Protein backbone atom coordinates (compact mmCIF):
# COMPACT_ATOMS: atom_id res chain seq x y z
CA UNK A 1 0.00 0.00 0.00
CA UNK A 2 1.33 3.46 -0.84
CA UNK A 3 1.58 6.17 1.78
CA UNK A 4 -0.91 8.22 -0.25
CA UNK A 5 -3.47 5.39 -0.04
CA UNK A 6 -2.79 4.74 3.63
CA UNK A 7 -3.43 8.40 4.48
CA UNK A 8 -6.97 8.12 3.11
CA UNK A 9 -7.91 5.73 5.91
CA UNK A 10 -9.62 7.08 9.03
CA UNK A 11 -7.23 5.74 11.64
CA UNK A 12 -4.19 7.81 12.55
CA UNK A 13 -0.86 6.85 11.02
CA UNK A 14 2.02 6.89 13.49
CA UNK A 15 5.47 7.09 11.88
CA UNK A 16 8.24 6.80 14.49
CA UNK A 17 11.55 8.56 13.94
CA UNK A 18 14.39 6.31 12.80
CA UNK A 19 18.02 6.97 11.92
CA UNK A 20 19.39 3.74 10.43
CA UNK A 21 18.39 0.34 9.11
CA UNK A 22 18.47 -1.22 12.59
CA UNK A 23 16.06 1.28 14.16
CA UNK A 24 13.87 1.04 11.05
CA UNK A 25 13.69 -2.74 11.25
CA UNK A 26 12.90 -2.56 14.98
CA UNK A 27 10.06 -0.10 14.30
CA UNK A 28 8.67 -2.38 11.60
CA UNK A 29 8.90 -5.42 13.89
CA UNK A 30 6.95 -3.38 16.47
CA UNK A 31 4.14 -3.03 13.92
CA UNK A 32 4.51 0.54 12.65
CA UNK A 33 3.14 1.06 9.13
CA UNK A 34 5.42 3.96 8.15
CA UNK A 35 8.71 5.49 9.26
CA UNK A 36 10.11 9.00 9.59
CA UNK A 37 13.81 9.47 8.80
CA UNK A 38 14.69 12.35 11.06
CA UNK A 39 17.39 14.79 10.03
CA UNK A 40 18.07 15.62 13.67
CA UNK A 41 18.49 11.94 14.54
CA UNK A 42 20.93 11.46 11.66
CA UNK A 43 22.90 14.53 12.78
CA UNK A 44 23.06 13.19 16.34
CA UNK A 45 24.00 9.61 15.42
CA UNK A 46 26.21 10.04 12.34
CA UNK A 47 27.88 13.33 13.19
CA UNK A 48 27.52 13.54 16.96
CA UNK A 49 26.35 17.14 16.39
CA UNK A 50 23.13 19.11 16.85
CA UNK A 51 20.70 19.66 13.98
CA UNK A 52 22.09 22.97 12.73
CA UNK A 53 22.37 22.26 9.02
CA UNK A 54 25.59 20.19 9.08
CA UNK A 55 24.11 17.00 7.65
CA UNK A 56 24.29 16.95 3.86
CA UNK A 57 21.50 15.77 1.60
CA UNK A 58 23.79 13.05 0.25
CA UNK A 59 24.34 11.70 3.79
CA UNK A 60 20.58 11.66 4.26
CA UNK A 61 20.06 9.93 0.88
CA UNK A 62 22.67 7.29 1.74
CA UNK A 63 20.92 6.60 5.05
CA UNK A 64 17.54 6.47 3.30
CA UNK A 65 18.78 3.98 0.71
CA UNK A 66 20.12 1.65 3.43
CA UNK A 67 16.80 1.80 5.28
CA UNK A 68 14.72 1.30 2.11
CA UNK A 69 16.83 -1.73 1.28
CA UNK A 70 15.99 -3.26 4.67
CA UNK A 71 12.26 -2.50 5.13
CA UNK A 72 9.11 -2.34 3.01
CA UNK A 73 7.19 0.32 4.95
CA UNK A 74 6.80 3.80 3.47
CA UNK A 75 9.52 6.23 4.56
CA UNK A 76 8.94 9.93 5.15
CA UNK A 77 12.25 11.79 5.03
CA UNK A 78 13.21 15.12 6.50
CA UNK A 79 14.32 17.24 3.54
CA UNK A 80 15.16 20.24 5.75
CA UNK A 81 14.83 23.36 3.60
CA UNK A 82 15.44 21.48 0.37
CA UNK A 83 19.10 22.33 1.09
CA UNK A 84 18.94 25.70 -0.62
CA UNK A 85 16.78 27.30 -3.29
CA UNK A 86 14.14 25.76 -5.57
CA UNK A 87 16.75 24.16 -7.84
CA UNK A 88 18.40 22.49 -4.85
CA UNK A 89 14.98 21.30 -3.67
CA UNK A 90 14.34 19.73 -7.09
CA UNK A 91 17.64 17.88 -6.88
CA UNK A 92 16.79 16.65 -3.39
CA UNK A 93 13.39 15.43 -4.60
CA UNK A 94 14.97 13.42 -7.41
CA UNK A 95 17.68 11.93 -5.21
CA UNK A 96 15.42 11.06 -2.28
CA UNK A 97 12.75 9.60 -4.53
CA UNK A 98 15.33 7.35 -6.23
CA UNK A 99 16.65 6.32 -2.79
CA UNK A 100 13.18 5.15 -1.70
CA UNK A 101 11.30 8.06 -0.12
CA UNK A 102 7.50 7.97 -0.04
CA UNK A 103 7.30 11.57 1.19
CA UNK A 104 9.61 14.53 1.72
CA UNK A 105 9.05 17.04 4.50
CA UNK A 106 10.36 20.50 3.62
CA UNK A 107 10.40 23.55 5.86
CA UNK A 108 10.36 27.29 5.34
CA UNK A 109 13.55 28.28 7.15
CA UNK A 110 16.44 30.08 5.52
CA UNK A 111 19.45 27.96 4.61
CA UNK A 112 21.42 26.80 6.52
CA UNK A 113 18.62 25.91 8.89
CA UNK A 114 18.40 25.28 12.61
CA UNK A 115 16.48 22.53 14.35
CA UNK A 116 12.86 23.59 14.88
CA UNK A 117 13.38 23.38 18.65
CA UNK A 118 16.29 25.85 18.66
CA UNK A 119 16.22 29.65 18.82
CA UNK A 120 17.42 32.18 16.25
CA UNK A 121 15.62 30.76 13.21
CA UNK A 122 14.59 32.84 10.23
CA UNK A 123 12.08 32.13 7.48
CA UNK A 124 11.99 32.53 3.72
CA UNK A 125 9.09 34.41 2.14
CA UNK A 126 5.78 32.70 1.47
CA UNK A 127 6.31 33.19 -2.28
CA UNK A 128 9.75 31.55 -2.13
CA UNK A 129 8.35 28.59 -0.16
CA UNK A 130 5.48 28.16 -2.63
CA UNK A 131 8.02 28.21 -5.49
CA UNK A 132 10.13 25.60 -3.74
CA UNK A 133 7.11 23.30 -3.29
CA UNK A 134 6.13 23.74 -6.94
CA UNK A 135 9.68 22.97 -8.05
CA UNK A 136 9.67 19.79 -5.98
CA UNK A 137 6.28 18.75 -7.37
CA UNK A 138 7.55 19.32 -10.91
CA UNK A 139 10.66 17.20 -10.24
CA UNK A 140 9.01 14.13 -8.76
CA UNK A 141 8.59 11.05 -10.91
CA UNK A 142 5.54 9.65 -9.14
CA UNK A 143 2.39 11.36 -7.94
CA UNK A 144 2.55 8.90 -5.03
CA UNK A 145 5.64 10.68 -3.69
CA UNK A 146 4.19 13.22 -1.30
CA UNK A 147 5.45 16.64 -0.27
CA UNK A 148 4.84 17.69 3.32
CA UNK A 149 5.31 21.43 3.84
CA UNK A 150 6.12 22.61 7.34
CA UNK A 151 6.44 26.07 8.81
CA UNK A 152 8.39 27.36 11.77
CA UNK A 153 6.37 30.58 11.78
CA UNK A 154 4.90 30.07 15.24
CA UNK A 155 8.38 30.12 16.77
CA UNK A 156 9.61 33.05 14.70
CA UNK A 157 6.71 35.48 14.24
Amino acid sequence: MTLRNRLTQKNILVAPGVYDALTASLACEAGFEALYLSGAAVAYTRLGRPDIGLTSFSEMADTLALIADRVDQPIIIDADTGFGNALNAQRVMRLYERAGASALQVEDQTYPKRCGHLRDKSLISTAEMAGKIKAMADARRSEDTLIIARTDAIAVE
Side-chain angles (χ1 to χ4, degrees):
M1 173 180 296
T2 67
L3 181 61
R4 178 184 290 277
N5 290 339
R6 173 56 183 84
L7 290 173
T8 64
Q9 297 178 9
K10 285 192 173 206
N11 52 327
I12 293 173
L13 177 65
V14 177
V18 299
Y19 55 87
D20 63 8
L22 176 61
T23 56
S25 62
L26 291 172
C28 292
E29 287 293 320
F32 290 98
E33 298 175 76
L35 307 171
Y36 180 77
L37 178 52
S38 163
V42 171
Y44 301 147
T45 59
R46 284 191 74 168
L47 306 179
R49 303 281 184 189
D51 185 20
I52 54 172
L54 299 175
T55 307
S56 70
F57 67 87
S58 59
E59 289 169 322
M60 291 294 291
D62 290 345
T63 304
L64 171 62
L66 291 170
I67 292 170
D69 188 52
R70 178 67 178 88
V71 302
D72 293 324
Q73 280 77 349
I75 304 166
I76 303 162
I77 185 169
D78 183 354
D80 285 338
T81 64
F83 295 89
N85 65 20
L87 293 175
N88 297 92
Q90 281 187 324
R91 186 170 180 223
V92 169
M93 170 56 82
R94 289 184 190 108
L95 184 61
Y96 284 9
E97 194 173 32
R98 278 195 312 267
S102 296
L104 283 71
Q105 176 195 292
V106 62
E107 61 198 66
D108 62 351
Q109 283 192 44
T110 56
Y111 183 78
K113 50 98 38 176
R114 294 180 59 79
C115 179
H117 304 292
L118 300 177
R119 288 190 299 231
D120 300 325
K121 295 178 291 290
S122 58
L123 306 181
I124 61 175
S125 70
T126 304
E128 185 177 350
M129 183 62 174
K132 198 176 284 193
I133 293 166
K134 181 177 182 334
M136 292 174 74
D138 291 344
R140 67 182 163 189
R141 291 180 185 223
S142 171
E143 291 294 318
D144 285 329
T145 304
L146 305 178
I147 300 166
I148 302 168
R150 185 189 110 194
T151 184
D152 282 313
I154 196 164
V156 175
E157 297 181 4

